[in-house]
Amino acid sequence: MSDRLNEDSLADLPDGIRRPAYDRRAVKTGIVHLGIGAFHRAHQAVYTDDVLGLDPQWGIVAASLRSPDTFDALAPQDGLYTLSVRSREGEALRIIGSIRQVIVAPRATDDLLDAMADPRTKIVTLTVTEKGYCHDPATGTLNEAHPDIVHDLAYLKTPRSAPGFIVEALRRRRRAGVPPFTVLTCDNLPSNGRTVKRVLTRFAELVDPDLGRFVADEVSCPSTMVDRIVPATSDQDRQRIGEALHVEDAWPVVTEPFTQWVIEDRFPQGRPAWENAGAEFVADVEPYEHMKLRLLNGSHSTLAYLGYLAGYETVADTMADPAFVRLVEGLMDEEVTPTLHMPPGADLASYKRALVERFKNPALKHRTWQIAMDGSQKLPQRLLGTVRDRLRDGGSIARLSLGVAAWMRYVTGVDEKGSAIDVRDPMAARLRELADRAGGEAGSLANALFGIREIFGDDLANDPRFTQPVTAHLARLHEKGAKRTVAELGAE
Ligand code: CS2
């Protein structure tokens, strides 16, 4: 028996570990996925695994646009990996078989373009993170000066970016008379379908105006709301899961019991019956998307910056501090909920209660540092859209502005004890330079950062109802630290 998880060792796994309930050899590939990170493998790949028994045409070709790590882990495993669902109650292990092929794009660009251009491919799904769309986060339009976009427009046949791959594949299909695939973004962007459509249309237009019109008229980009908390896999996870399987799995994924997927039902080329796995198909995703981005991700980012500064390693550690629980509850109830317009029947109260429990899940080691990444790409849809709605309606932004101030404090790159923070962000160098130039004074630092138009737009940067509370919080964070600032906010 092999000492690695793969087709050969599958039959010999210990009892109690769920395996694919369909014949993997009969599975064809109908989906190409870009961005084979942990989130995809704990979310869309699981919904697909659930329904492959009903229709085997929907197996996944999954590509990484950059790093070969996932390929190196999964290729010797025939694409198989373990999904670990963890909660206070324990851990359930399941082997997922929906990924039939893994491609590393920089090594095998043509293989990926061939798979995308193949008439059997009906859907291209994406989880490339916010920055993978090469857009301007404040306006949601293509950033035409982005180095990858400049490259891809010059070298159409060897793209690097997700928009570059998609448009080139669509161009090939069109030339061959093959109808376009549906583009299904599963990233946490605002109006994600509309945003990806805008980015792709502009990119295509720059290649050729006719192609631009074709993308605008013929390519369906349904919006989706995706939700599942999936922390990065640790070496302890690998070891624990390997011991339970009695074979090595080089890259299992670890997640929570909760999962949700809301999708607009616009798939001209057909789609898997994901509703049989619990996905919800609706006419308009926007209300769900706002609910999730503003309640979950807005709270997550606020907890991440403040929790990190307060010295907490994980979200669960942060939520063990009652002042932080009060902060997120207040943020959600008083500042976010009034901006949401949910369809009848949506139960926001229980959604929020469940969120607090999900954040507290002690079995997930979700590092505050991980969520703090890429803040420049996340702030607009997580906090700033809510801020705009509140200012329009004359509501308070006491807690929303604290989240923004904590981000400003975090991106200075120095923590409360004077140690370096490893700030990961496409704008990290620029942020650092602005912070260094501004020095330690809260007002100068805040002003320097408000000047980043791609994040704050022109409106917020010039609105004292926003800039004043953020600056005041930033001064408090400098003076008292995050823990005391949060504690005193709750006590006011
Ligand atoms: C998190 C999200 O890392 C982050 O920024 O806020 O990945 C979050 O865990 C998911 O959106 C949950 O659905």
Side-chain angles (χ1 to χ4, degrees), residues 39 130 188 226-231 256 292-293 296-298 300-301 358 366 370-373 378 382:
F39 183 72
E130 295 85 348
N188 289 314
V226 292
D227 190 6
R228 193 164 217 188
I229 294 176
V230 190
E256 60 176 342
K292 192 263 172 169
L293 287 175
L296 188 155
N297 297 109
H300 238 181
S301 289
R358 292 169 65 194
H366 202 184
Q370 188 189 348
I371 301 164
M373 276 188 223
K378 293 174 174 174
R382 295 182 175 209

Short mmCIF file of all heavy atoms in Angstrom, two decimals, residues 39 130 188 226-231 256 292-293 296-298 300-301 358 366 370-373 378 382, ligand 1:
data_model
loop_
_atom_site.label_atom_id
_atom_site.label_comp_id
_atom_site.label_asym_id
_atom_site.label_seq_id
_atom_site.Cartn_x
_atom_site.Cartn_y
_atom_site.Cartn_z
N PHE A 39 -9.34 28.00 0.04
CA PHE A 39 -10.76 28.35 0.04
C PHE A 39 -11.52 27.57 -1.04
O PHE A 39 -12.58 27.00 -0.77
CB PHE A 39 -10.96 29.86 -0.15
CG PHE A 39 -12.41 30.20 -0.08
CD1 PHE A 39 -13.09 30.16 1.13
CD2 PHE A 39 -13.14 30.49 -1.23
CE1 PHE A 39 -14.46 30.40 1.20
CE2 PHE A 39 -14.49 30.73 -1.17
CZ PHE A 39 -15.16 30.70 0.04
N GLU A 130 -8.80 39.35 -3.91
CA GLU A 130 -9.20 40.68 -4.41
C GLU A 130 -8.17 41.22 -5.39
O GLU A 130 -8.51 41.75 -6.45
CB GLU A 130 -9.34 41.66 -3.23
CG GLU A 130 -10.47 41.34 -2.23
CD GLU A 130 -10.05 40.34 -1.14
OE1 GLU A 130 -8.99 39.71 -1.26
OE2 GLU A 130 -10.83 40.17 -0.18
N ASN A 188 -14.42 37.78 -2.64
CA ASN A 188 -15.17 38.73 -1.82
C ASN A 188 -15.08 40.16 -2.34
O ASN A 188 -14.62 41.07 -1.67
CB ASN A 188 -14.61 38.72 -0.39
CG ASN A 188 -14.97 37.44 0.33
OD1 ASN A 188 -16.10 36.98 0.29
ND2 ASN A 188 -13.97 36.84 0.98
N VAL A 226 -20.04 33.89 -1.38
CA VAL A 226 -19.42 32.65 -0.88
C VAL A 226 -19.08 32.85 0.58
O VAL A 226 -18.67 33.94 0.97
CB VAL A 226 -18.13 32.31 -1.64
CG1 VAL A 226 -18.41 31.93 -3.08
CG2 VAL A 226 -17.12 33.45 -1.60
N ASP A 227 -19.26 31.83 1.37
CA ASP A 227 -18.92 31.98 2.78
C ASP A 227 -18.49 30.67 3.41
O ASP A 227 -19.25 29.71 3.44
CB ASP A 227 -20.13 32.55 3.54
CG ASP A 227 -19.77 32.95 4.97
OD1 ASP A 227 -18.58 32.89 5.32
OD2 ASP A 227 -20.70 33.32 5.72
N ARG A 228 -17.28 30.64 3.88
CA ARG A 228 -16.76 29.57 4.72
C ARG A 228 -15.41 30.04 5.25
O ARG A 228 -14.58 30.52 4.46
CB ARG A 228 -16.60 28.26 3.94
CG ARG A 228 -16.36 27.09 4.85
CD ARG A 228 -16.57 25.76 4.17
NE ARG A 228 -17.18 24.83 5.11
CZ ARG A 228 -17.36 23.53 4.89
NH1 ARG A 228 -17.01 23.00 3.73
NH2 ARG A 228 -17.91 22.76 5.80
N ILE A 229 -15.19 29.90 6.52
CA ILE A 229 -13.91 30.33 7.09
C ILE A 229 -12.90 29.20 6.93
O ILE A 229 -13.14 28.08 7.39
CB ILE A 229 -14.10 30.73 8.57
CG1 ILE A 229 -14.98 32.00 8.65
CG2 ILE A 229 -12.75 30.98 9.24
CD1 ILE A 229 -15.33 32.45 10.06
N VAL A 230 -11.81 29.51 6.24
CA VAL A 230 -10.80 28.48 5.91
C VAL A 230 -9.40 29.02 6.22
O VAL A 230 -8.76 29.63 5.36
CB VAL A 230 -10.87 28.10 4.41
CG1 VAL A 230 -10.01 26.86 4.13
CG2 VAL A 230 -12.30 27.86 3.95
N PRO A 231 -8.92 28.82 7.44
CA PRO A 231 -7.57 29.30 7.77
C PRO A 231 -6.50 28.53 6.99
O PRO A 231 -6.77 27.42 6.53
CB PRO A 231 -7.43 28.99 9.27
CG PRO A 231 -8.81 28.69 9.75
CD PRO A 231 -9.58 28.18 8.58
N GLU A 256 -14.57 25.17 8.98
CA GLU A 256 -15.63 25.14 9.99
C GLU A 256 -16.83 24.38 9.42
O GLU A 256 -16.92 24.17 8.21
CB GLU A 256 -16.04 26.57 10.31
CG GLU A 256 -16.55 27.29 9.06
CD GLU A 256 -17.07 28.70 9.29
OE1 GLU A 256 -17.37 29.03 10.45
OE2 GLU A 256 -17.20 29.46 8.31
N LYS A 292 -22.96 39.71 3.88
CA LYS A 292 -21.77 38.91 4.22
C LYS A 292 -20.51 39.77 4.26
O LYS A 292 -19.73 39.71 5.20
CB LYS A 292 -21.65 37.78 3.21
CG LYS A 292 -20.66 36.72 3.60
CD LYS A 292 -19.34 36.93 2.95
CE LYS A 292 -18.28 36.02 3.47
NZ LYS A 292 -17.08 36.04 2.68
N LEU A 293 -20.30 40.60 3.23
CA LEU A 293 -19.08 41.41 3.20
C LEU A 293 -19.04 42.39 4.36
O LEU A 293 -18.01 42.62 4.97
CB LEU A 293 -18.99 42.20 1.90
CG LEU A 293 -18.65 41.43 0.64
CD1 LEU A 293 -18.73 42.33 -0.59
CD2 LEU A 293 -17.25 40.84 0.73
N LEU A 296 -19.69 39.89 8.10
CA LEU A 296 -18.60 38.95 8.39
C LEU A 296 -17.23 39.56 8.10
O LEU A 296 -16.39 39.71 8.98
CB LEU A 296 -18.77 37.66 7.58
CG LEU A 296 -17.77 36.55 7.96
CD1 LEU A 296 -18.33 35.17 7.63
CD2 LEU A 296 -16.38 36.68 7.35
N ASN A 297 -17.01 39.97 6.85
CA ASN A 297 -15.67 40.41 6.51
C ASN A 297 -15.32 41.75 7.15
O ASN A 297 -14.16 41.97 7.54
CB ASN A 297 -15.49 40.47 4.98
CG ASN A 297 -15.65 39.10 4.32
OD1 ASN A 297 -16.63 38.84 3.64
ND2 ASN A 297 -14.70 38.21 4.53
N GLY A 298 -16.30 42.63 7.29
CA GLY A 298 -16.05 43.90 7.98
C GLY A 298 -15.63 43.65 9.42
O GLY A 298 -14.66 44.25 9.93
N HIS A 300 -14.38 40.82 10.57
CA HIS A 300 -13.12 40.07 10.51
C HIS A 300 -11.93 41.02 10.41
O HIS A 300 -10.96 40.87 11.15
CB HIS A 300 -13.14 39.18 9.27
CG HIS A 300 -12.98 37.74 9.57
ND1 HIS A 300 -12.96 36.80 8.57
CD2 HIS A 300 -12.82 37.05 10.72
CE1 HIS A 300 -12.81 35.61 9.11
NE2 HIS A 300 -12.72 35.73 10.41
N SER A 301 -12.00 41.97 9.48
CA SER A 301 -10.87 42.87 9.30
C SER A 301 -10.68 43.74 10.55
O SER A 301 -9.55 43.97 11.00
CB SER A 301 -11.05 43.75 8.05
OG SER A 301 -10.90 42.94 6.90
N ARG A 358 -19.10 31.53 15.30
CA ARG A 358 -18.10 31.08 14.31
C ARG A 358 -16.75 31.73 14.61
O ARG A 358 -15.71 31.08 14.55
CB ARG A 358 -18.56 31.44 12.89
CG ARG A 358 -19.78 30.67 12.44
CD ARG A 358 -20.35 31.24 11.13
NE ARG A 358 -19.43 31.07 10.02
CZ ARG A 358 -19.56 31.71 8.85
NH1 ARG A 358 -20.55 32.56 8.65
NH2 ARG A 358 -18.69 31.51 7.89
N HIS A 366 -7.30 30.61 13.21
CA HIS A 366 -7.32 31.58 12.12
C HIS A 366 -6.54 32.80 12.55
O HIS A 366 -7.00 33.60 13.36
CB HIS A 366 -8.77 31.95 11.79
CG HIS A 366 -8.96 32.50 10.41
ND1 HIS A 366 -10.15 32.97 9.95
CD2 HIS A 366 -8.09 32.67 9.40
CE1 HIS A 366 -10.01 33.39 8.71
NE2 HIS A 366 -8.77 33.22 8.35
N GLN A 370 -3.20 36.66 9.11
CA GLN A 370 -3.65 36.19 7.79
C GLN A 370 -4.76 37.10 7.25
O GLN A 370 -4.75 37.52 6.09
CB GLN A 370 -4.14 34.74 7.87
CG GLN A 370 -4.42 34.17 6.47
CD GLN A 370 -5.10 32.80 6.47
OE1 GLN A 370 -5.20 32.12 7.49
NE2 GLN A 370 -5.59 32.40 5.32
N ILE A 371 -5.72 37.42 8.10
CA ILE A 371 -6.86 38.24 7.66
C ILE A 371 -6.41 39.69 7.40
O ILE A 371 -6.97 40.38 6.56
CB ILE A 371 -7.98 38.18 8.71
CG1 ILE A 371 -8.43 36.73 8.89
CG2 ILE A 371 -9.16 39.05 8.32
CD1 ILE A 371 -9.23 36.49 10.14
N ALA A 372 -5.37 40.11 8.12
CA ALA A 372 -4.88 41.49 7.97
C ALA A 372 -4.24 41.74 6.60
O ALA A 372 -4.07 42.89 6.19
CB ALA A 372 -3.86 41.81 9.07
N MET A 373 -3.92 40.67 5.88
CA MET A 373 -3.27 40.83 4.57
C MET A 373 -4.14 41.59 3.58
O MET A 373 -5.36 41.46 3.60
CB MET A 373 -3.06 39.45 3.95
CG MET A 373 -1.84 38.75 4.40
SD MET A 373 -1.68 37.27 3.38
CE MET A 373 -1.24 36.15 4.65
N LYS A 378 -9.21 45.29 0.55
CA LYS A 378 -10.38 44.79 1.28
C LYS A 378 -11.22 45.89 1.90
O LYS A 378 -12.44 45.78 2.02
CB LYS A 378 -9.93 43.83 2.39
CG LYS A 378 -9.32 42.53 1.87
CD LYS A 378 -8.76 41.70 3.03
CE LYS A 378 -8.27 40.33 2.56
NZ LYS A 378 -7.61 39.57 3.64
N ARG A 382 -15.42 46.16 2.66
CA ARG A 382 -15.70 45.64 4.00
C ARG A 382 -16.15 46.72 4.96
O ARG A 382 -17.00 46.48 5.81
CB ARG A 382 -14.45 44.95 4.55
CG ARG A 382 -14.09 43.73 3.75
CD ARG A 382 -12.89 43.01 4.31
NE ARG A 382 -12.68 41.79 3.54
CZ ARG A 382 -12.13 40.69 4.00
NH1 ARG A 382 -11.72 40.64 5.25
NH2 ARG A 382 -11.99 39.63 3.25
C1 CS2 B 1 -11.27 36.63 5.70
C2 CS2 B 1 -12.05 35.80 4.71
O1 CS2 B 1 -9.02 36.39 5.13
C3 CS2 B 1 -9.97 37.15 5.15
O2 CS2 B 1 -9.89 38.30 4.75
O3 CS2 B 1 -12.07 37.68 6.14
O4 CS2 B 1 -11.24 34.93 4.02
C4 CS2 B 1 -13.20 35.03 5.39
O5 CS2 B 1 -12.71 34.04 6.24
C5 CS2 B 1 -14.13 34.42 4.38
O6 CS2 B 1 -14.60 35.41 3.51
C6 CS2 B 1 -15.30 33.72 5.07
O7 CS2 B 1 -16.28 33.39 4.18
#
